[in-house]
Amino acid sequence: MNPIRRIYTFFHKNLLTKTMAIGVVLALMGTTCLIQLANIQLVNGKGMAQAAAQSRTTTVTLKARRGKIMDTNGAILAQSVERYTIIGNPEQAQAFIPTTCTKQTGSNCHQINGKPVGVTGAAAVARLLAPVLGMDATELGAKLSISGQYVVLKKDVTPAVKRKISKLNLGGIVYAELSNERLYSNGTLMGSLLGGVDADGKGVAGIEQMENKTLTGRDGYQVYQQGNSGVEIPGTMTESKDAVNGSDVTLTIDRDVQWYTEKVLSDSENKYHSAWGIAMVQDVQSGDILALADSDTTEAGSDQAKMGASRAVSETFEPGSIGKVLAMSGMLQLGLHKIDDKFTVPNTVTVEGQTYKDAVDHGNEHWTLAGILEQSSNVGMVIAGDKMTNEQRYNFISKFGIGQATGLNLPGESEGVLHPSDSWDRRTRNTVLFGQGYTVNVMQLTNAISVIANKGVKKPQRIIKSITDTAGHVEEQQSKGEATRVIDESVASQMLNAMESSAEHYNTFVKVDGYRMAAKSGTAEVAGANGQLTSIISDYSTIIPADNPRFVITVVLKDPQGSFGGLTAGPVTAEIGEFLMQKYEVPASSPRTDAIPVNW
């Protein structure tokens, strides 16, 4: 074979061998791909599809709205409104590349005032978002430049702002989580009494805390798959549960009465230069509290409102001479005296080495038991109580509700202090006859006087009127406890008569034209800042109208100029009483014709 032929044969054989080798390799690769494809589709296809679906599946919480708090007439005192927390995904933000707006993109693009964004990443997201949130773009950019997939950008955003964000085409980068903002539309009205909620929407003070379980709803949820933009893929929802909003709470408080009572207290603080004031209005027949006020100016829902209880709830004090009503009622009920029994009352009296003196110096006076109350004589009470044992004194003070929980369950309420009679010393056994040696809160004292107005029966108090669930079903709330008879109706009638004489004693300063009042004043020395008896509590409780009791009003002032309760707290009760008579269109009183003699 010639040389040329041998060369041709050599190269032809090598080329054929290489071609066959390449063919074998390609065949093996094709077979491998077919096997892998079959494995994916036939063996692992279902599992991989499930894994992909799972990676897109998300659970979204549906926030329940907290119930409203309303006054007795349905005026809203506290409510939750729809608000959103704006969340950013830093990792997605840093990878963001804006889409330039063209005819082809339509509205699915990004621009600022008709111009391109100009940057990419977190800075681009910040430039788009800052004007809508009213924030600095640099600050937003910094928040979106951290590691991770979750950062809070802004809280308490309105639905209108949330809708603007949704038009920015930042799905998957920026989204909104529903939250509820608690609003108190009346500012300082009932500030500490309403209290407030914490960052999680839980009641932490006041009525918000007391009724937290009722006001709190149950969150719901949705489980679905979301696309790259963070939007739900239609038809992929697999599970859901609707949120159940909290129930609404209606109080017995009348907002108008509360507002006026707070106003009068504020005015009295300026007029009498008192350190603080407390006032309460109670409906005699129902035991409903129409106003529970103090002179503190605290915004409802504020940090201050969340930190402590209302002064009207927590403050305790010696009632002073108002306590004579309780002790004298016991004397009549036990048959130790009659209301018109005659006494000669000196300026001072000494019993077991303890001397007691009246507030105003006088000679030997001829007063009936009714006159002792009318003149508010401590000496007269000690003399009249001579046959009343310590245990009897304790029992009657206790029967009027002193030293016991009111049943209102208001956070921060103090029961006051009424020590057992076997612990009293020689002085305390007599000071309790005129309202010293024990302490009360304003709810206890008001309800005690309501016993006289309600013909001798102590009714449980109520501040929660009704509960309304999300379906609109209204459940009237009953007072805690049962009504109990403390004194006979005849005894209550005699005490009411004597209290009316006591009110007439001050009618130059304390009166409501056209209406009779039955009242008792009190003035007690209490410990001041130095621990000594350098401070004064002046209080006054009024039943109005006396001939047909509708309301009991109690006012308590700390260190007022003028000291005596009848001269300071008394006029404040008259202002509130006048407002009540007008608001509720109470008929004018008939003339008084049955006054029990106070002198002999």
Side-chain angles (χ1 to χ4, degrees):
M1 180 179 298
N2 63 45
I4 295 175
R5 182 68 176 176
R6 283 199 301 272
I7 293 171
Y8 172 79
T9 302
F10 173 78
F11 279 108
H12 179 72
K13 286 181 178 181
N14 285 343
L15 181 61
L16 182 60
T17 300
K18 288 181 179 180
T19 300
M20 290 179 65
I22 292 171
V24 170
V25 170
L26 290 175
L28 289 172
M29 289 176 64
T31 303
T32 301
C33 289
L34 287 172
I35 292 172
Q36 183 65 19
L37 181 62
N39 182 55
I40 292 173
Q41 291 182 337
L42 301 178
V43 180
N44 294 325
K46 184 177 180 180
M48 295 185 69
Q50 289 176 341
Q54 188 172 2
S55 68
R56 295 192 301 268
T57 300
T58 186
T59 300
V60 177
T61 300
L62 304 177
K63 290 283 187 179
R65 184 174 299 177
R66 190 172 177 84
K68 296 190 288 287
I69 299 176
M70 299 176 288
D71 89 330
T72 188
N73 299 310
I76 296 175
L77 303 171
Q79 65 177 326
S80 293
V81 294
E82 181 182 350
R83 291 292 184 267
Y84 293 88
T85 299
I86 304 305
I87 307 299
N89 184 324
E91 289 186 4
Q92 294 286 340
Q94 292 160 36
F96 173 65
I97 299 176
T99 300
T100 303
C101 293
T102 64
K103 291 182 179 180
Q104 288 74 26
T105 61
S107 61
N108 296 318
C109 59
H110 307 94
Q111 59 182 358
I112 300 174
N113 296 326
K115 298 180 181 180
V117 178
V119 292
T120 61
V125 176
R127 285 189 184 183
L128 290 164
L129 192 58
V132 179
L133 290 182
M135 295 177 66
D136 180 70
T138 303
E139 179 187 352
L140 274 177
K143 287 187 174 184
L144 291 167
S145 297
I146 63 174
S147 60
Q149 298 181 338
Y150 185 97
V151 63
V152 174
L153 302 179
K154 191 169 185 179
K155 294 182 177 180
D156 298 329
V157 167
T158 64
V161 171
K162 184 240 183 188
R163 287 192 293 271
K164 290 180 181 179
I165 293 173
S166 67
K167 296 178 181 180
L168 295 177
N169 299 312
L170 294 174
I173 301 173
V174 178
Y175 58 96
E177 289 183 349
L178 179 65
S179 64
N180 290 311
E181 181 184 5
R182 198 66 168 166
L183 295 184
Y184 304 89
S185 55
N186 297 284
T188 60
L189 187 73
M190 295 176 61
S192 295
L193 186 60
L194 287 172
V197 299
D198 63 14
D200 297 322
K202 179 183 177 182
V204 292
I207 290 170
E208 291 277 27
Q209 178 184 351
M210 182 175 77
E211 293 297 313
N212 184 65
K213 185 176 180 180
T214 299
L215 292 164
T216 302
R218 296 192 304 274
D219 290 346
Y221 61 88
Q222 290 180 340
V223 180
Y224 57 78
Q225 295 179 38
Q226 59 182 3
N228 292 332
S229 63
V231 179
E232 176 187 352
I233 299 174
T236 62
M237 186 179 297
T238 58
E239 190 178 352
S240 67
K241 184 178 181 180
D242 291 337
V244 178
N245 292 331
S247 296
D248 296 335
V249 173
T250 299
L251 307 179
T252 61
I253 298 286
D254 186 315
R255 183 180 64 175
D256 294 343
V257 178
Q258 179 78 21
W259 172 82
Y260 191 79
T261 302
E262 289 188 12
K263 175 185 179 300
V264 171
L265 272 181
S266 177
D267 293 344
S268 72
E269 197 172 21
N270 296 325
K271 182 176 181 179
Y272 300 111
H273 305 286
S274 54
W276 50 257
I278 296 171
M280 176 174 166
V281 178
Q282 181 168 320
D283 184 284
V284 168
Q285 297 177 355
S286 65
D288 285 355
I289 296 174
L290 303 182
L292 185 57
D294 59 58
S295 58
D296 299 338
T297 54
T298 302
E299 291 276 349
S302 66
D303 289 342
Q304 186 179 355
K306 299 173 191 177
M307 288 171 59
S310 162
R311 186 187 297 276
V313 174
S314 62
E315 194 74 49
T316 58
F317 50 91
E318 290 187 344
S321 290
I322 297 179
K324 291 171 181 169
V325 173
L326 319 185
M328 190 174 289
S329 296
M331 295 177 193
L332 295 177
Q333 183 67 30
L334 291 168
L336 301 177
H337 290 292
K338 295 178 182 178
I339 196 67
D340 57 359
D341 280 356
K342 300 172 182 179
F343 297 86
T344 299
V345 183
N347 187 47
T348 64
V349 64
T350 299
V351 179
E352 296 181 323
Q354 300 294 313
T355 299
Y356 306 91
K357 183 182 182 301
D358 282 339
V360 178
D361 289 339
H362 59 80
N364 288 341
E365 299 289 349
H366 296 93
W367 293 326
T368 63
L369 191 62
I372 289 173
L373 190 73
E374 185 251 350
Q375 291 292 324
S376 197
S377 172
N378 295 345
V379 172
M381 288 298 295
V382 173
I383 293 171
D386 180 53
K387 295 179 181 179
M388 199 177 192
T389 67
N390 285 6
E391 186 177 3
Q392 288 171 334
R393 298 175 192 205
Y394 174 86
N395 286 342
F396 270 95
I397 296 171
S398 179
K399 282 181 179 180
F400 276 92
I402 307 305
Q404 303 166 34
T406 61
L408 294 168
N409 297 324
L410 287 164
E413 178 185 343
S414 171
E415 296 179 10
V417 176
L418 175 61
H419 294 297
S421 58
D422 59 10
S423 69
W424 292 348
D425 58 25
R426 288 179 298 171
R427 188 165 188 83
T428 301
R429 72 178 300 270
N430 284 315
T431 61
V432 297
L433 296 175
F434 46 85
Q436 296 186 27
Y438 61 88
T439 59
V440 299
N441 62 42
V442 73
M443 292 90 73
Q444 293 169 329
L445 187 58
T446 303
N447 209 31
I449 298 303
S450 291
V451 171
I452 306 301
N454 203 39
K455 300 180 179 180
V457 175
K458 182 170 77 73
K459 289 193 171 182
Q461 295 166 299
R462 187 175 72 151
I463 199 168
I464 305 299
K465 180 180 179 181
S466 62
I467 304 296
T468 305
D469 64 19
T470 53
H473 300 131
V474 180
E475 182 180 350
E476 191 79 8
Q477 298 299 290
Q478 302 301 316
S479 304
K480 303 285 192 305
E482 300 292 332
T484 57
R485 178 162 292 282
V486 178
I487 52 177
D488 294 340
E489 184 174 342
S490 62
V491 172
S493 177
Q494 293 173 64
M495 289 302 304
L496 186 66
N497 192 309
M499 288 178 67
E500 189 166 358
S501 295
S502 178
E504 289 177 353
H505 185 83
Y506 285 103
N507 64 5
T508 302
F509 312 98
V510 187
K511 64 179 179 179
V512 176
D513 290 339
Y515 297 91
R516 290 159 51 185
M517 294 187 289
K520 188 68 195 78
S521 64
T523 308
E525 290 183 326
V526 296
N530 60 1
Q532 304 298 315
L533 295 179
T534 55
S535 280
I536 293 290
I537 288 292
S538 297
D539 51 5
Y540 201 90
S541 278
T542 297
I543 299 170
I544 185 171
D547 55 324
N548 183 25
R550 286 284 306 276
F551 307 102
V552 175
I553 309 162
T554 300
V555 172
V556 185
L557 301 179
K558 174 74 177 296
D559 289 330
Q561 289 185 3
S563 296
F564 293 121
L567 304 179
T568 55
V572 181
T573 67
E575 286 189 67
I576 298 171
E578 184 175 22
F579 177 82
L580 292 170
M581 298 302 98
Q582 294 175 359
K583 175 178 173 59
Y584 293 103
E585 299 180 346
V586 178
S589 295
S590 56
R592 187 184 187 195
T593 59
D594 61 348
I596 297 170
V598 294
N599 300 295
W600 61 276

PDB file of all heavy atoms in Angstrom, residues 81-107:
ATOM      1  N   VAL A  81     -59.195  51.446  66.954  1.00  0.00           N
ATOM      2  CA  VAL A  81     -59.404  51.749  65.541  1.00  0.00           C
ATOM      3  C   VAL A  81     -58.379  50.987  64.710  1.00  0.00           C
ATOM      4  O   VAL A  81     -57.315  50.599  65.194  1.00  0.00           O
ATOM      5  CB  VAL A  81     -59.281  53.266  65.284  1.00  0.00           C
ATOM      6  CG1 VAL A  81     -60.400  54.018  65.968  1.00  0.00           C
ATOM      7  CG2 VAL A  81     -57.930  53.795  65.746  1.00  0.00           C
ATOM      8  N   GLU A  82     -58.697  50.775  63.423  1.00  0.00           N
ATOM      9  CA  GLU A  82     -57.834  50.002  62.529  1.00  0.00           C
ATOM     10  C   GLU A  82     -56.539  50.761  62.245  1.00  0.00           C
ATOM     11  O   GLU A  82     -56.550  51.880  61.743  1.00  0.00           O
ATOM     12  CB  GLU A  82     -58.574  49.735  61.218  1.00  0.00           C
ATOM     13  CG  GLU A  82     -57.774  48.901  60.215  1.00  0.00           C
ATOM     14  CD  GLU A  82     -58.528  48.702  58.908  1.00  0.00           C
ATOM     15  OE1 GLU A  82     -59.727  49.046  58.866  1.00  0.00           O
ATOM     16  OE2 GLU A  82     -57.918  48.220  57.941  1.00  0.00           O
ATOM     17  N   ARG A  83     -55.455  50.137  62.599  1.00  0.00           N
ATOM     18  CA  ARG A  83     -54.141  50.708  62.337  1.00  0.00           C
ATOM     19  C   ARG A  83     -53.208  49.588  61.881  1.00  0.00           C
ATOM     20  O   ARG A  83     -53.491  48.403  62.079  1.00  0.00           O
ATOM     21  CB  ARG A  83     -53.579  51.384  63.592  1.00  0.00           C
ATOM     22  CG  ARG A  83     -54.323  52.646  63.991  1.00  0.00           C
ATOM     23  CD  ARG A  83     -54.112  53.764  62.990  1.00  0.00           C
ATOM     24  NE  ARG A  83     -54.757  55.008  63.412  1.00  0.00           N
ATOM     25  CZ  ARG A  83     -55.981  55.380  63.061  1.00  0.00           C
ATOM     26  NH1 ARG A  83     -56.715  54.577  62.306  1.00  0.00           N
ATOM     27  NH2 ARG A  83     -56.482  56.531  63.455  1.00  0.00           N
ATOM     28  N   TYR A  84     -52.087  49.958  61.274  1.00  0.00           N
ATOM     29  CA  TYR A  84     -51.161  48.964  60.738  1.00  0.00           C
ATOM     30  C   TYR A  84     -49.728  49.257  61.180  1.00  0.00           C
ATOM     31  O   TYR A  84     -49.339  50.409  61.368  1.00  0.00           O
ATOM     32  CB  TYR A  84     -51.219  48.942  59.206  1.00  0.00           C
ATOM     33  CG  TYR A  84     -52.526  48.434  58.668  1.00  0.00           C
ATOM     34  CD1 TYR A  84     -53.593  49.303  58.462  1.00  0.00           C
ATOM     35  CD2 TYR A  84     -52.710  47.077  58.404  1.00  0.00           C
ATOM     36  CE1 TYR A  84     -54.802  48.836  57.976  1.00  0.00           C
ATOM     37  CE2 TYR A  84     -53.920  46.610  57.927  1.00  0.00           C
ATOM     38  CZ  TYR A  84     -54.960  47.496  57.718  1.00  0.00           C
ATOM     39  OH  TYR A  84     -56.165  47.018  57.268  1.00  0.00           O
ATOM     40  N   THR A  85     -48.964  48.167  61.320  1.00  0.00           N
ATOM     41  CA  THR A  85     -47.522  48.266  61.533  1.00  0.00           C
ATOM     42  C   THR A  85     -46.851  47.935  60.210  1.00  0.00           C
ATOM     43  O   THR A  85     -47.114  46.876  59.620  1.00  0.00           O
ATOM     44  CB  THR A  85     -47.057  47.290  62.624  1.00  0.00           C
ATOM     45  OG1 THR A  85     -47.713  47.619  63.848  1.00  0.00           O
ATOM     46  CG2 THR A  85     -45.552  47.372  62.815  1.00  0.00           C
ATOM     47  N   ILE A  86     -46.014  48.834  59.712  1.00  0.00           N
ATOM     48  CA  ILE A  86     -45.354  48.631  58.415  1.00  0.00           C
ATOM     49  C   ILE A  86     -44.037  47.883  58.636  1.00  0.00           C
ATOM     50  O   ILE A  86     -43.182  48.318  59.415  1.00  0.00           O
ATOM     51  CB  ILE A  86     -45.107  49.971  57.711  1.00  0.00           C
ATOM     52  CG1 ILE A  86     -46.424  50.734  57.571  1.00  0.00           C
ATOM     53  CG2 ILE A  86     -44.474  49.743  56.345  1.00  0.00           C
ATOM     54  CD1 ILE A  86     -47.529  49.965  56.865  1.00  0.00           C
ATOM     55  N   ILE A  87     -43.908  46.755  57.958  1.00  0.00           N
ATOM     56  CA  ILE A  87     -42.767  45.854  58.104  1.00  0.00           C
ATOM     57  C   ILE A  87     -41.937  45.855  56.827  1.00  0.00           C
ATOM     58  O   ILE A  87     -42.475  45.868  55.716  1.00  0.00           O
ATOM     59  CB  ILE A  87     -43.239  44.412  58.402  1.00  0.00           C
ATOM     60  CG1 ILE A  87     -44.205  44.390  59.595  1.00  0.00           C
ATOM     61  CG2 ILE A  87     -42.046  43.498  58.628  1.00  0.00           C
ATOM     62  CD1 ILE A  87     -43.612  44.901  60.882  1.00  0.00           C
ATOM     63  N   GLY A  88     -40.618  45.828  56.986  1.00  0.00           N
ATOM     64  CA  GLY A  88     -39.735  45.723  55.840  1.00  0.00           C
ATOM     65  C   GLY A  88     -38.929  44.426  55.880  1.00  0.00           C
ATOM     66  O   GLY A  88     -38.653  43.888  56.947  1.00  0.00           O
ATOM     67  N   ASN A  89     -38.543  43.917  54.672  1.00  0.00           N
ATOM     68  CA  ASN A  89     -37.686  42.744  54.541  1.00  0.00           C
ATOM     69  C   ASN A  89     -36.319  43.240  54.046  1.00  0.00           C
ATOM     70  O   ASN A  89     -36.146  43.501  52.851  1.00  0.00           O
ATOM     71  CB  ASN A  89     -38.279  41.757  53.541  1.00  0.00           C
ATOM     72  CG  ASN A  89     -37.473  40.472  53.445  1.00  0.00           C
ATOM     73  OD1 ASN A  89     -36.251  40.480  53.543  1.00  0.00           O
ATOM     74  ND2 ASN A  89     -38.164  39.360  53.228  1.00  0.00           N
ATOM     75  N   PRO A  90     -35.353  43.415  54.956  1.00  0.00           N
ATOM     76  CA  PRO A  90     -34.061  43.987  54.556  1.00  0.00           C
ATOM     77  C   PRO A  90     -33.369  43.216  53.435  1.00  0.00           C
ATOM     78  O   PRO A  90     -32.777  43.841  52.529  1.00  0.00           O
ATOM     79  CB  PRO A  90     -33.246  43.946  55.856  1.00  0.00           C
ATOM     80  CG  PRO A  90     -34.279  44.022  56.943  1.00  0.00           C
ATOM     81  CD  PRO A  90     -35.428  43.208  56.417  1.00  0.00           C
ATOM     82  N   GLU A  91     -33.386  41.890  53.482  1.00  0.00           N
ATOM     83  CA  GLU A  91     -32.694  41.107  52.448  1.00  0.00           C
ATOM     84  C   GLU A  91     -33.283  41.384  51.070  1.00  0.00           C
ATOM     85  O   GLU A  91     -32.556  41.558  50.089  1.00  0.00           O
ATOM     86  CB  GLU A  91     -32.766  39.614  52.786  1.00  0.00           C
ATOM     87  CG  GLU A  91     -31.897  39.208  53.977  1.00  0.00           C
ATOM     88  CD  GLU A  91     -31.892  37.704  54.188  1.00  0.00           C
ATOM     89  OE1 GLU A  91     -32.505  36.995  53.361  1.00  0.00           O
ATOM     90  OE2 GLU A  91     -31.261  37.249  55.160  1.00  0.00           O
ATOM     91  N   GLN A  92     -34.629  41.400  50.993  1.00  0.00           N
ATOM     92  CA  GLN A  92     -35.283  41.679  49.716  1.00  0.00           C
ATOM     93  C   GLN A  92     -35.028  43.126  49.285  1.00  0.00           C
ATOM     94  O   GLN A  92     -34.841  43.413  48.094  1.00  0.00           O
ATOM     95  CB  GLN A  92     -36.782  41.434  49.837  1.00  0.00           C
ATOM     96  CG  GLN A  92     -37.173  39.991  50.064  1.00  0.00           C
ATOM     97  CD  GLN A  92     -37.014  39.165  48.792  1.00  0.00           C
ATOM     98  OE1 GLN A  92     -36.973  39.687  47.680  1.00  0.00           O
ATOM     99  NE2 GLN A  92     -36.900  37.856  48.965  1.00  0.00           N
ATOM    100  N   ALA A  93     -35.004  44.035  50.266  1.00  0.00           N
ATOM    101  CA  ALA A  93     -34.783  45.451  49.941  1.00  0.00           C
ATOM    102  C   ALA A  93     -33.400  45.668  49.337  1.00  0.00           C
ATOM    103  O   ALA A  93     -33.235  46.430  48.369  1.00  0.00           O
ATOM    104  CB  ALA A  93     -34.952  46.301  51.200  1.00  0.00           C
ATOM    105  N   GLN A  94     -32.400  44.997  49.891  1.00  0.00           N
ATOM    106  CA  GLN A  94     -31.035  45.181  49.414  1.00  0.00           C
ATOM    107  C   GLN A  94     -30.823  44.598  48.015  1.00  0.00           C
ATOM    108  O   GLN A  94     -29.883  44.990  47.300  1.00  0.00           O
ATOM    109  CB  GLN A  94     -30.055  44.564  50.412  1.00  0.00           C
ATOM    110  CG  GLN A  94     -30.010  45.312  51.742  1.00  0.00           C
ATOM    111  CD  GLN A  94     -29.442  44.486  52.878  1.00  0.00           C
ATOM    112  OE1 GLN A  94     -28.528  43.690  52.678  1.00  0.00           O
ATOM    113  NE2 GLN A  94     -29.988  44.662  54.079  1.00  0.00           N
ATOM    114  N   ALA A  95     -31.700  43.671  47.617  1.00  0.00           N
ATOM    115  CA  ALA A  95     -31.603  43.078  46.272  1.00  0.00           C
ATOM    116  C   ALA A  95     -32.533  43.765  45.277  1.00  0.00           C
ATOM    117  O   ALA A  95     -32.601  43.372  44.112  1.00  0.00           O
ATOM    118  CB  ALA A  95     -31.949  41.587  46.348  1.00  0.00           C
ATOM    119  N   PHE A  96     -33.217  44.807  45.699  1.00  0.00           N
ATOM    120  CA  PHE A  96     -34.230  45.446  44.880  1.00  0.00           C
ATOM    121  C   PHE A  96     -33.612  46.251  43.737  1.00  0.00           C
ATOM    122  O   PHE A  96     -32.673  47.020  43.919  1.00  0.00           O
ATOM    123  CB  PHE A  96     -35.083  46.366  45.760  1.00  0.00           C
ATOM    124  CG  PHE A  96     -36.072  47.213  45.015  1.00  0.00           C
ATOM    125  CD1 PHE A  96     -37.133  46.640  44.323  1.00  0.00           C
ATOM    126  CD2 PHE A  96     -35.939  48.604  45.006  1.00  0.00           C
ATOM    127  CE1 PHE A  96     -38.036  47.437  43.639  1.00  0.00           C
ATOM    128  CE2 PHE A  96     -36.850  49.401  44.326  1.00  0.00           C
ATOM    129  CZ  PHE A  96     -37.898  48.810  43.637  1.00  0.00           C
ATOM    130  N   ILE A  97     -34.171  46.044  42.549  1.00  0.00           N
ATOM    131  CA  ILE A  97     -33.794  46.829  41.368  1.00  0.00           C
ATOM    132  C   ILE A  97     -35.076  47.431  40.820  1.00  0.00           C
ATOM    133  O   ILE A  97     -35.990  46.711  40.395  1.00  0.00           O
ATOM    134  CB  ILE A  97     -33.121  45.962  40.290  1.00  0.00           C
ATOM    135  CG1 ILE A  97     -31.832  45.327  40.845  1.00  0.00           C
ATOM    136  CG2 ILE A  97     -32.816  46.795  39.045  1.00  0.00           C
ATOM    137  CD1 ILE A  97     -31.157  44.377  39.869  1.00  0.00           C
ATOM    138  N   PRO A  98     -35.206  48.756  40.853  1.00  0.00           N
ATOM    139  CA  PRO A  98     -36.444  49.398  40.377  1.00  0.00           C
ATOM    140  C   PRO A  98     -36.702  49.101  38.901  1.00  0.00           C
ATOM    141  O   PRO A  98     -35.776  48.951  38.108  1.00  0.00           O
ATOM    142  CB  PRO A  98     -36.181  50.891  40.592  1.00  0.00           C
ATOM    143  CG  PRO A  98     -35.049  50.954  41.563  1.00  0.00           C
ATOM    144  CD  PRO A  98     -34.220  49.744  41.312  1.00  0.00           C
ATOM    145  N   THR A  99     -37.965  49.001  38.571  1.00  0.00           N
ATOM    146  CA  THR A  99     -38.374  48.807  37.175  1.00  0.00           C
ATOM    147  C   THR A  99     -38.681  50.167  36.566  1.00  0.00           C
ATOM    148  O   THR A  99     -39.528  50.915  37.090  1.00  0.00           O
ATOM    149  CB  THR A  99     -39.624  47.913  37.094  1.00  0.00           C
ATOM    150  OG1 THR A  99     -39.325  46.646  37.671  1.00  0.00           O
ATOM    151  CG2 THR A  99     -40.082  47.737  35.658  1.00  0.00           C
ATOM    152  N   THR A 100     -37.984  50.471  35.471  1.00  0.00           N
ATOM    153  CA  THR A 100     -38.211  51.755  34.803  1.00  0.00           C
ATOM    154  C   THR A 100     -39.579  51.751  34.134  1.00  0.00           C
ATOM    155  O   THR A 100     -39.998  50.756  33.524  1.00  0.00           O
ATOM    156  CB  THR A 100     -37.118  52.017  33.755  1.00  0.00           C
ATOM    157  OG1 THR A 100     -35.841  51.980  34.391  1.00  0.00           O
ATOM    158  CG2 THR A 100     -37.320  53.378  33.094  1.00  0.00           C
ATOM    159  N   CYS A 101     -40.283  52.845  34.257  1.00  0.00           N
ATOM    160  CA  CYS A 101     -41.642  52.937  33.716  1.00  0.00           C
ATOM    161  C   CYS A 101     -41.608  53.175  32.204  1.00  0.00           C
ATOM    162  O   CYS A 101     -40.965  54.122  31.724  1.00  0.00           O
ATOM    163  CB  CYS A 101     -42.406  54.059  34.388  1.00  0.00           C
ATOM    164  SG  CYS A 101     -42.731  53.755  36.144  1.00  0.00           S
ATOM    165  N   THR A 102     -42.279  52.311  31.461  1.00  0.00           N
ATOM    166  CA  THR A 102     -42.421  52.441  30.008  1.00  0.00           C
ATOM    167  C   THR A 102     -43.865  52.141  29.646  1.00  0.00           C
ATOM    168  O   THR A 102     -44.680  51.782  30.507  1.00  0.00           O
ATOM    169  CB  THR A 102     -41.489  51.454  29.278  1.00  0.00           C
ATOM    170  OG1 THR A 102     -41.900  50.110  29.600  1.00  0.00           O
ATOM    171  CG2 THR A 102     -40.031  51.650  29.705  1.00  0.00           C
ATOM    172  N   LYS A 103     -44.163  52.247  28.347  1.00  0.00           N
ATOM    173  CA  LYS A 103     -45.512  51.902  27.912  1.00  0.00           C
ATOM    174  C   LYS A 103     -45.798  50.430  28.149  1.00  0.00           C
ATOM    175  O   LYS A 103     -46.929  50.036  28.428  1.00  0.00           O
ATOM    176  CB  LYS A 103     -45.666  52.229  26.422  1.00  0.00           C
ATOM    177  CG  LYS A 103     -45.665  53.727  26.127  1.00  0.00           C
ATOM    178  CD  LYS A 103     -45.875  53.982  24.639  1.00  0.00           C
ATOM    179  CE  LYS A 103     -45.902  55.478  24.348  1.00  0.00           C
ATOM    180  NZ  LYS A 103     -46.106  55.764  22.896  1.00  0.00           N
ATOM    181  N   GLN A 104     -44.761  49.611  28.031  1.00  0.00           N
ATOM    182  CA  GLN A 104     -44.946  48.173  28.192  1.00  0.00           C
ATOM    183  C   GLN A 104     -45.195  47.792  29.657  1.00  0.00           C
ATOM    184  O   GLN A 104     -45.956  46.874  29.946  1.00  0.00           O
ATOM    185  CB  GLN A 104     -43.715  47.417  27.659  1.00  0.00           C
ATOM    186  CG  GLN A 104     -43.569  47.420  26.148  1.00  0.00           C
ATOM    187  CD  GLN A 104     -43.116  48.757  25.606  1.00  0.00           C
ATOM    188  OE1 GLN A 104     -42.454  49.526  26.316  1.00  0.00           O
ATOM    189  NE2 GLN A 104     -43.484  49.049  24.364  1.00  0.00           N
ATOM    190  N   THR A 105     -44.553  48.497  30.613  1.00  0.00           N
ATOM    191  CA  THR A 105     -44.695  48.120  32.023  1.00  0.00           C
ATOM    192  C   THR A 105     -46.024  48.578  32.619  1.00  0.00           C
ATOM    193  O   THR A 105     -46.510  48.023  33.609  1.00  0.00           O
ATOM    194  CB  THR A 105     -43.566  48.728  32.867  1.00  0.00           C
ATOM    195  OG1 THR A 105     -43.622  50.165  32.783  1.00  0.00           O
ATOM    196  CG2 THR A 105     -42.216  48.254  32.384  1.00  0.00           C
ATOM    197  N   GLY A 106     -46.615  49.610  32.030  1.00  0.00           N
ATOM    198  CA  GLY A 106     -47.851  50.138  32.607  1.00  0.00           C
ATOM    199  C   GLY A 106     -47.570  50.722  33.980  1.00  0.00           C
ATOM    200  O   GLY A 106     -46.594  51.456  34.180  1.00  0.00           O
ATOM    201  N   SER A 107     -48.412  50.354  34.965  1.00  0.00           N
ATOM    202  CA  SER A 107     -48.241  50.887  36.333  1.00  0.00           C
ATOM    203  C   SER A 107     -47.342  50.002  37.190  1.00  0.00           C
ATOM    204  O   SER A 107     -47.051  50.352  38.334  1.00  0.00           O
ATOM    205  CB  SER A 107     -49.605  51.037  37.009  1.00  0.00           C
ATOM    206  OG  SER A 107     -50.260  49.772  37.101  1.00  0.00           O
TER     207      SER A 107
END
